[in-house]
Amino acid sequence: MNVVILAAGQGKRMRSDLPKVLHPLAGRPLLAHVLATARALAPGRICVVYGHGGERVRAALPGEAVAWVRQEPQLGTGHALAQALPQLGAGAQTLVLYGDVPLTRAATLAQLRAAAGEGVAVLTVELPDPAGYGRIVRAGGAVARIVEERDATAAERAIREVNTGIMVLPTARLAGWLARLRDDNAQREYYLTDVIGLAVADGVGVTAVQPGSVAETLGVNSKAQLAELERVYQRAVAADLMQAGVSLADPARIDVRGRLECGRDVAIDVNCVFEGEVVLGDRVAVAANCVLRNARVAADTRLEPFCHVEDADIGAGCRVGPYARLRPGTKLAEEVHVGNFVEVKASTFGARSKANHLAYVGDSAVGRDVNVGAGTITCNYDGAAKHRTVIEDEVFIGSDTQLVAPVTVGRGATIAAGTTVWKDVPPGALALNEKTQVARGGYQRPRKKK
Ligand code: UD1
Ligand code: CA
C-alpha cells in the first residue's frame, strides 16, 4: 500500500508564519502525528505533498524515510495527489491522509483499507453541523459522489454525512481519474473529491466507513481547533494513565508531550507537564506544577511543587523541591534531598547527600552523606571554560561557601561558613578563611533628617 499525506495547504486561518502542519500537538508537529499513524500501517511507501511553508516543512522532520513531493502552486487536493503519482509504488491501494488531521487511529485506517478491497473506501462522519465540509451524496443508499459545500445545492447542504477527506483508492486507476478532473467549480480547484463520482461512473464500488469517534477525523484549521484537539489528545492520555493505575488529582490538568511511563501507585497532582521520555518508578509522587523533560525518577521519590527537571536521573527515595531546578546531566543516587531554590547541573550526588536550600551545584561530583549548606555556590565558570568541583564522601560544607573550581574537598573535610575555597582541602581538615570580627561600641548610625 502507498500512503500519501496532503500537507501543502496554507492554513490561512491559523494566522501564523509557521506552516500549519508544523504547529505542535502534544509537543510534536501535526504532520509527525500523521506520519506515525501512517508508519503503524507498514505501507510500502509514504509520500508527503508539501508546498506552503516550503522547505521549512521538510527541514522540521529530518530523517523521515518518506518521499517528499513539492506542490507549487497549490491547485487543490486532486492536483496535490496528482503530484505524488510518479512516486507511488506498485502497491495496489493508495491511502490519502491529511497532514492537519492528527488523531486518526491506525485501526480505523486498517478497517478502511479492508472495506475498500479492489475499490474505493471513504471515511465519513455524520455531523450535527456539517458546515464547511464536502457532503456525501447517496443514490439508493450507495455513495454516488461528493459535493463541496460551495458547489452544493440547498438540498445537498442539508446532508449531514460529510467527507473527512481520508480515503483508500485503487492505485492503478488513479492516473486515469486524476487526468479527468476539471477545475470548473466555485474554488477553481482540482478536487480529489470528484474522483468518487468518476469511480462510480466506471462501475468501481465505493464504500463509506465510519470511525469510532468523530475526533479521529477532526482537522486543524484554527488555533481554537488546535487547542480543542490538544484537549482530546490529553484526555485520552489521562484516561490511559488512570486505566494503568496512576492517580491523577485532575485528569483535565495534566499534559504529556511525549511518553510517560509509570510504575505502580504513582500519584500526580495538578498542572504537571511531562515532555520527551519520562519514567516514574513505583510510588513516585509528583506534586503540583512540576515540569519534567526526559527524566527518570526511581521508586518512592517525591517531587514537591514547582520543580523543573530536564535530562536528569533521580534515584529512589529522594526528596526534591519545592522549587528545585535539576538541569541536564544531574544524577542523584538514593535518598538525596535537593531543596528549595537549589539548581544542579551536570553533577552527581551520592546517597543521602543533601543540598536543602539556595545553592548552585554545577559540574560537580558530590559524594555520599555530604551536607551542602545554604547559599553554597560552585564557581564553575571563569568566563572562558567550565571547571569541575569534587566533594568527597561525608564532607560538611557550611553556609555561604564559594567553591572556586577546579577544586577538590577531601573526604570528611569541613568547610566553615562563609569560606571561599580556592585551594584543595585535604581529607579530614577544617577549611576556613581567616577573618576578624570587630565590634565598635557606641556606634551612632546616621539618621534621616525629619
Ligand atoms: C477538503 C475536502 C472536503 C472535506 C474536507 C475535510 C476537497 C476538495 N475537499 O476540503 O470534501 O470535507 O477536506 O476536512 O478535497 N492540500 C494540498 N494541496 C492543495 C490543497 C489542499 O496539499 O492544493 C491539503 C491541505 O494541506 C490539507 C488537505 O489537503 O491537509 C485538505 O485541504 P483543505 O484546503 O483543508 O480542504 P477543505 O477545503 O477543507
Ligand atoms: Ca480543511
Side-chain angles (χ1 to χ4, degrees):
M1 182 180 63
N2 300 293
V3 176
V4 178
I5 301 174
L6 304 187
Q10 177 176 10
K12 233 184 249 159
R13 280 175 287 161
M14 295 297 279
R15 298 187 190 281
S16 168
D17 293 334
L18 190 66
K20 177 159 80 175
V21 292
L22 296 187
H23 281 267
L25 180 101
R28 281 190 305 157
L30 291 170
L31 182 53
H33 288 268
V34 182
L35 277 167
T37 309
R39 201 146 279 138
L41 298 166
R45 182 158 310 191
I46 299 175
C47 180
V48 179
V49 181
Y50 70 108
H52 188 80
E55 299 307 319
R56 273 178 85 185
V57 175
R58 249 181 109 149
L61 296 151
E64 291 281 0
V66 303
W68 294 93
V69 174
R70 189 155 181 165
Q71 183 200 16
E72 194 68 69
Q74 290 108 41
L75 302 179
T77 48
H79 178 255
L81 183 57
Q83 309 312 299
L85 261 188
Q87 301 294 328
L88 300 187
Q93 294 174 311
T94 294
L95 166 66
V96 177
L97 300 176
Y98 286 0
D100 56 3
V101 179
L103 300 184
T104 322
R105 286 168 50 240
T108 301
L109 298 174
Q111 209 185 320
L112 188 71
R113 187 182 172 181
E118 313 255 284
V120 174
V122 185
L123 193 65
T124 71
V125 279
E126 291 247 355
L127 296 180
D129 174 13
Y133 287 90
R135 309 297 205 280
I136 305 295
V137 180
R138 290 178 179 261
V143 176
R145 60 193 172 88
I146 297 175
V147 61
E148 290 305 295
E149 168 153 296
R150 293 215 241 160
D151 303 295
T153 62
E156 288 167 341
R157 284 187 193 194
I159 298 171
R160 296 190 310 138
E161 186 184 7
V162 305
N163 171 35
T164 65
I166 293 171
M167 51 182 83
V168 173
L169 302 150
T171 310
R173 298 279 197 155
L174 276 182
W177 289 338
L178 293 175
R180 282 153 68 191
L181 295 182
R182 305 220 321 258
D183 67 350
D184 54 352
N185 51 52
Q187 303 185 68
R188 303 224 60 86
E189 283 184 3
Y190 297 92
Y191 292 162
L192 178 56
T193 44
D194 286 347
V195 157
I196 302 303
L198 296 174
V200 171
D202 285 355
V204 175
V206 178
T207 314
V209 170
Q210 283 75 42
S213 87
V214 171
E216 289 192 51
T217 70
L218 295 180
V220 172
N221 295 302
S222 64
K223 292 284 169 70
Q225 288 172 343
L226 181 60
E228 229 172 84
L229 286 195
E230 179 79 34
R231 285 306 106 204
V232 169
Y233 178 94
Q234 296 298 347
R235 265 202 302 278
V237 171
D240 286 349
L241 287 170
M242 291 187 295
Q243 174 68 29
V246 177
S247 299
L248 298 180
D250 181 354
R253 282 184 288 169
I254 175 171
D255 284 83
V256 179
R257 302 174 189 151
R259 226 175 55 84
L260 173 60
E261 189 188 313
C262 293
R264 287 184 80 80
D265 294 305
V266 166
I268 300 172
D269 209 330
V270 299
N271 296 334
C272 293
V273 178
F274 300 90
E275 300 178 332
E277 297 276 318
V278 176
V279 180
L280 305 180
D282 295 344
R283 297 171 301 280
V284 163
V286 182
N289 298 299
C290 289
V291 177
L292 285 83
R293 176 186 301 151
N294 299 324
R296 283 148 306 278
V297 183
D300 298 303
T301 283
R302 186 174 168 77
L303 300 188
E304 302 292 351
F306 293 98
C307 288
H308 191 271
V309 177
E310 181 176 2
D311 294 312
D313 254 302
I314 303 177
C318 291
R319 253 192 29 225
V320 178
Y323 298 100
R325 180 168 184 213
L326 305 185
R327 291 171 53 199
T330 296
K331 277 196 167 59
L332 309 183
E334 62 278 7
E335 292 173 52
V336 168
H337 292 186
V338 173
N340 41 228
F341 304 105
V342 172
E343 175 180 351
V344 181
K345 185 213 76 172
S347 297
T348 57
F349 273 66
R352 296 172 302 280
S353 288
K354 298 181 171 62
N356 269 330
H357 334 265
L358 304 146
Y360 173 58
V361 179
D363 302 302
S364 301
V366 178
R368 59 165 176 81
D369 298 300
V370 168
N371 189 19
V372 176
T376 296
I377 286 176
T378 54
C379 310
N380 59 329
Y381 185 50
D382 59 15
K386 304 277 170 64
H387 301 282
R388 292 196 60 78
T389 299
V390 177
I391 301 170
E392 294 182 351
D393 298 344
E394 294 168 28
V395 163
F396 181 95
I397 299 180
S399 298
D400 195 24
T401 292
Q402 300 106 53
L403 296 147
V404 184
V407 74
T408 296
V409 180
R411 180 175 179 154
T414 302
I415 312 294
T419 301
T420 301
V421 180
W422 51 278
K423 294 191 292 198
D424 290 354
V425 178
L430 168 68
L432 53 93
N433 302 141
E434 285 189 336
K435 301 175 189 175
T436 55
Q437 178 172 322
V438 177
R440 294 189 189 124
Y443 178 64
Q444 284 295 320
R445 198 161 43 216
R447 279 166 213 268
K448 277 189 189 160
K449 295 217 169 66
K450 291 241 167 90

PDB file of all heavy atoms in Angstrom, residues 327 345 360 362-363 379-389 405-406:
ATOM      1  N   ARG A 327      19.035  20.437  36.140  1.00  0.00           N
ATOM      2  CA  ARG A 327      19.345  20.652  34.719  1.00  0.00           C
ATOM      3  C   ARG A 327      20.051  19.443  34.118  1.00  0.00           C
ATOM      4  O   ARG A 327      20.404  18.510  34.834  1.00  0.00           O
ATOM      5  CB  ARG A 327      20.175  21.934  34.582  1.00  0.00           C
ATOM      6  CG  ARG A 327      19.353  23.199  34.903  1.00  0.00           C
ATOM      7  CD  ARG A 327      20.234  24.421  34.976  1.00  0.00           C
ATOM      8  NE  ARG A 327      21.047  24.570  33.779  1.00  0.00           N
ATOM      9  CZ  ARG A 327      22.141  25.322  33.706  1.00  0.00           C
ATOM     10  NH1 ARG A 327      22.551  25.996  34.763  1.00  0.00           N
ATOM     11  NH2 ARG A 327      22.821  25.401  32.576  1.00  0.00           N
ATOM     12  N   LYS A 345      23.428  21.226  37.986  1.00  0.00           N
ATOM     13  CA  LYS A 345      23.695  20.994  36.562  1.00  0.00           C
ATOM     14  C   LYS A 345      24.901  20.084  36.389  1.00  0.00           C
ATOM     15  O   LYS A 345      25.910  20.281  37.056  1.00  0.00           O
ATOM     16  CB  LYS A 345      23.970  22.326  35.854  1.00  0.00           C
ATOM     17  CG  LYS A 345      24.133  22.181  34.353  1.00  0.00           C
ATOM     18  CD  LYS A 345      25.111  23.163  33.753  1.00  0.00           C
ATOM     19  CE  LYS A 345      26.538  22.781  34.029  1.00  0.00           C
ATOM     20  NZ  LYS A 345      27.528  23.592  33.324  1.00  0.00           N
ATOM     21  N   TYR A 360      23.862  26.578  44.212  1.00  0.00           N
ATOM     22  CA  TYR A 360      24.139  26.218  42.819  1.00  0.00           C
ATOM     23  C   TYR A 360      25.266  25.200  42.800  1.00  0.00           C
ATOM     24  O   TYR A 360      26.376  25.488  43.240  1.00  0.00           O
ATOM     25  CB  TYR A 360      24.528  27.436  41.971  1.00  0.00           C
ATOM     26  CG  TYR A 360      24.970  26.999  40.588  1.00  0.00           C
ATOM     27  CD1 TYR A 360      24.107  26.269  39.777  1.00  0.00           C
ATOM     28  CD2 TYR A 360      26.259  27.258  40.118  1.00  0.00           C
ATOM     29  CE1 TYR A 360      24.516  25.808  38.536  1.00  0.00           C
ATOM     30  CE2 TYR A 360      26.670  26.811  38.877  1.00  0.00           C
ATOM     31  CZ  TYR A 360      25.797  26.087  38.088  1.00  0.00           C
ATOM     32  OH  TYR A 360      26.191  25.623  36.861  1.00  0.00           O
ATOM     33  N   GLY A 362      27.210  23.006  40.085  1.00  0.00           N
ATOM     34  CA  GLY A 362      27.387  22.744  38.657  1.00  0.00           C
ATOM     35  C   GLY A 362      28.699  22.028  38.399  1.00  0.00           C
ATOM     36  O   GLY A 362      29.695  22.276  39.085  1.00  0.00           O
ATOM     37  N   ASP A 363      28.726  21.133  37.428  1.00  0.00           N
ATOM     38  CA  ASP A 363      29.937  20.410  37.019  1.00  0.00           C
ATOM     39  C   ASP A 363      30.639  19.799  38.228  1.00  0.00           C
ATOM     40  O   ASP A 363      31.854  19.940  38.377  1.00  0.00           O
ATOM     41  CB  ASP A 363      30.881  21.359  36.263  1.00  0.00           C
ATOM     42  CG  ASP A 363      30.208  21.961  35.040  1.00  0.00           C
ATOM     43  OD1 ASP A 363      29.763  21.186  34.180  1.00  0.00           O
ATOM     44  OD2 ASP A 363      30.091  23.199  34.971  1.00  0.00           O
ATOM     45  N   CYS A 379      31.714  27.884  41.844  1.00  0.00           N
ATOM     46  CA  CYS A 379      32.104  28.892  40.858  1.00  0.00           C
ATOM     47  C   CYS A 379      32.778  28.105  39.737  1.00  0.00           C
ATOM     48  O   CYS A 379      33.985  27.908  39.747  1.00  0.00           O
ATOM     49  CB  CYS A 379      33.045  29.913  41.474  1.00  0.00           C
ATOM     50  SG  CYS A 379      32.418  30.571  43.038  1.00  0.00           S
ATOM     51  N   ASN A 380      31.961  27.607  38.807  1.00  0.00           N
ATOM     52  CA  ASN A 380      32.468  26.636  37.840  1.00  0.00           C
ATOM     53  C   ASN A 380      32.953  27.282  36.555  1.00  0.00           C
ATOM     54  O   ASN A 380      33.539  26.624  35.718  1.00  0.00           O
ATOM     55  CB  ASN A 380      31.386  25.588  37.528  1.00  0.00           C
ATOM     56  CG  ASN A 380      30.126  26.211  36.956  1.00  0.00           C
ATOM     57  OD1 ASN A 380      29.792  27.349  37.290  1.00  0.00           O
ATOM     58  ND2 ASN A 380      29.437  25.484  36.108  1.00  0.00           N
ATOM     59  N   TYR A 381      32.708  28.560  36.394  1.00  0.00           N
ATOM     60  CA  TYR A 381      32.950  29.217  35.104  1.00  0.00           C
ATOM     61  C   TYR A 381      33.876  30.406  35.313  1.00  0.00           C
ATOM     62  O   TYR A 381      33.616  31.274  36.150  1.00  0.00           O
ATOM     63  CB  TYR A 381      31.592  29.676  34.560  1.00  0.00           C
ATOM     64  CG  TYR A 381      31.616  30.273  33.179  1.00  0.00           C
ATOM     65  CD1 TYR A 381      32.250  29.623  32.123  1.00  0.00           C
ATOM     66  CD2 TYR A 381      30.987  31.484  32.925  1.00  0.00           C
ATOM     67  CE1 TYR A 381      32.248  30.174  30.862  1.00  0.00           C
ATOM     68  CE2 TYR A 381      30.972  32.043  31.662  1.00  0.00           C
ATOM     69  CZ  TYR A 381      31.615  31.383  30.617  1.00  0.00           C
ATOM     70  OH  TYR A 381      31.607  31.927  29.366  1.00  0.00           O
ATOM     71  N   ASP A 382      34.978  30.421  34.568  1.00  0.00           N
ATOM     72  CA  ASP A 382      35.932  31.520  34.733  1.00  0.00           C
ATOM     73  C   ASP A 382      35.791  32.560  33.627  1.00  0.00           C
ATOM     74  O   ASP A 382      36.654  33.404  33.441  1.00  0.00           O
ATOM     75  CB  ASP A 382      37.359  30.979  34.788  1.00  0.00           C
ATOM     76  CG  ASP A 382      37.740  30.201  33.522  1.00  0.00           C
ATOM     77  OD1 ASP A 382      37.018  30.315  32.504  1.00  0.00           O
ATOM     78  OD2 ASP A 382      38.756  29.477  33.551  1.00  0.00           O
ATOM     79  N   GLY A 383      34.714  32.476  32.882  1.00  0.00           N
ATOM     80  CA  GLY A 383      34.498  33.417  31.785  1.00  0.00           C
ATOM     81  C   GLY A 383      34.864  32.819  30.445  1.00  0.00           C
ATOM     82  O   GLY A 383      34.439  33.305  29.402  1.00  0.00           O
ATOM     83  N   ALA A 384      35.654  31.737  30.488  1.00  0.00           N
ATOM     84  CA  ALA A 384      36.042  31.078  29.234  1.00  0.00           C
ATOM     85  C   ALA A 384      35.722  29.598  29.279  1.00  0.00           C
ATOM     86  O   ALA A 384      35.136  29.064  28.348  1.00  0.00           O
ATOM     87  CB  ALA A 384      37.531  31.285  28.984  1.00  0.00           C
ATOM     88  N   ALA A 385      36.064  28.948  30.370  1.00  0.00           N
ATOM     89  CA  ALA A 385      35.884  27.489  30.442  1.00  0.00           C
ATOM     90  C   ALA A 385      35.160  27.095  31.727  1.00  0.00           C
ATOM     91  O   ALA A 385      35.137  27.857  32.694  1.00  0.00           O
ATOM     92  CB  ALA A 385      37.242  26.803  30.372  1.00  0.00           C
ATOM     93  N   LYS A 386      34.556  25.899  31.695  1.00  0.00           N
ATOM     94  CA  LYS A 386      33.892  25.340  32.875  1.00  0.00           C
ATOM     95  C   LYS A 386      34.886  24.424  33.594  1.00  0.00           C
ATOM     96  O   LYS A 386      35.645  23.714  32.944  1.00  0.00           O
ATOM     97  CB  LYS A 386      32.664  24.522  32.457  1.00  0.00           C
ATOM     98  CG  LYS A 386      31.657  25.288  31.617  1.00  0.00           C
ATOM     99  CD  LYS A 386      30.731  26.111  32.503  1.00  0.00           C
ATOM    100  CE  LYS A 386      29.873  27.070  31.711  1.00  0.00           C
ATOM    101  NZ  LYS A 386      28.940  26.425  30.792  1.00  0.00           N
ATOM    102  N   HIS A 387      34.881  24.424  34.895  1.00  0.00           N
ATOM    103  CA  HIS A 387      35.782  23.575  35.676  1.00  0.00           C
ATOM    104  C   HIS A 387      35.014  22.742  36.680  1.00  0.00           C
ATOM    105  O   HIS A 387      33.926  23.125  37.100  1.00  0.00           O
ATOM    106  CB  HIS A 387      36.810  24.441  36.403  1.00  0.00           C
ATOM    107  CG  HIS A 387      37.633  25.280  35.468  1.00  0.00           C
ATOM    108  ND1 HIS A 387      38.681  24.770  34.737  1.00  0.00           N
ATOM    109  CD2 HIS A 387      37.522  26.583  35.120  1.00  0.00           C
ATOM    110  CE1 HIS A 387      39.198  25.738  33.988  1.00  0.00           C
ATOM    111  NE2 HIS A 387      38.507  26.852  34.190  1.00  0.00           N
ATOM    112  N   ARG A 388      35.640  21.626  37.098  1.00  0.00           N
ATOM    113  CA  ARG A 388      34.930  20.671  37.956  1.00  0.00           C
ATOM    114  C   ARG A 388      35.235  20.856  39.436  1.00  0.00           C
ATOM    115  O   ARG A 388      36.341  21.223  39.820  1.00  0.00           O
ATOM    116  CB  ARG A 388      35.277  19.243  37.538  1.00  0.00           C
ATOM    117  CG  ARG A 388      34.724  18.886  36.158  1.00  0.00           C
ATOM    118  CD  ARG A 388      34.723  17.391  35.918  1.00  0.00           C
ATOM    119  NE  ARG A 388      33.917  16.644  36.883  1.00  0.00           N
ATOM    120  CZ  ARG A 388      32.587  16.568  36.847  1.00  0.00           C
ATOM    121  NH1 ARG A 388      31.910  17.220  35.925  1.00  0.00           N
ATOM    122  NH2 ARG A 388      31.949  15.868  37.752  1.00  0.00           N
ATOM    123  N   THR A 389      34.230  20.556  40.217  1.00  0.00           N
ATOM    124  CA  THR A 389      34.378  20.554  41.673  1.00  0.00           C
ATOM    125  C   THR A 389      34.159  19.127  42.151  1.00  0.00           C
ATOM    126  O   THR A 389      33.206  18.477  41.725  1.00  0.00           O
ATOM    127  CB  THR A 389      33.323  21.476  42.312  1.00  0.00           C
ATOM    128  OG1 THR A 389      33.532  22.805  41.838  1.00  0.00           O
ATOM    129  CG2 THR A 389      33.413  21.451  43.833  1.00  0.00           C
ATOM    130  N   ALA A 405      36.227  26.438  41.296  1.00  0.00           N
ATOM    131  CA  ALA A 405      36.705  25.260  40.563  1.00  0.00           C
ATOM    132  C   ALA A 405      37.837  25.649  39.614  1.00  0.00           C
ATOM    133  O   ALA A 405      37.898  26.807  39.170  1.00  0.00           O
ATOM    134  CB  ALA A 405      35.541  24.661  39.779  1.00  0.00           C
ATOM    135  N   PRO A 406      38.767  24.699  39.283  1.00  0.00           N
ATOM    136  CA  PRO A 406      38.752  23.308  39.736  1.00  0.00           C
ATOM    137  C   PRO A 406      39.227  23.185  41.174  1.00  0.00           C
ATOM    138  O   PRO A 406      40.238  23.785  41.528  1.00  0.00           O
ATOM    139  CB  PRO A 406      39.730  22.629  38.783  1.00  0.00           C
ATOM    140  CG  PRO A 406      40.668  23.716  38.364  1.00  0.00           C
ATOM    141  CD  PRO A 406      39.871  24.979  38.353  1.00  0.00           C
TER     142      PRO A 406
END
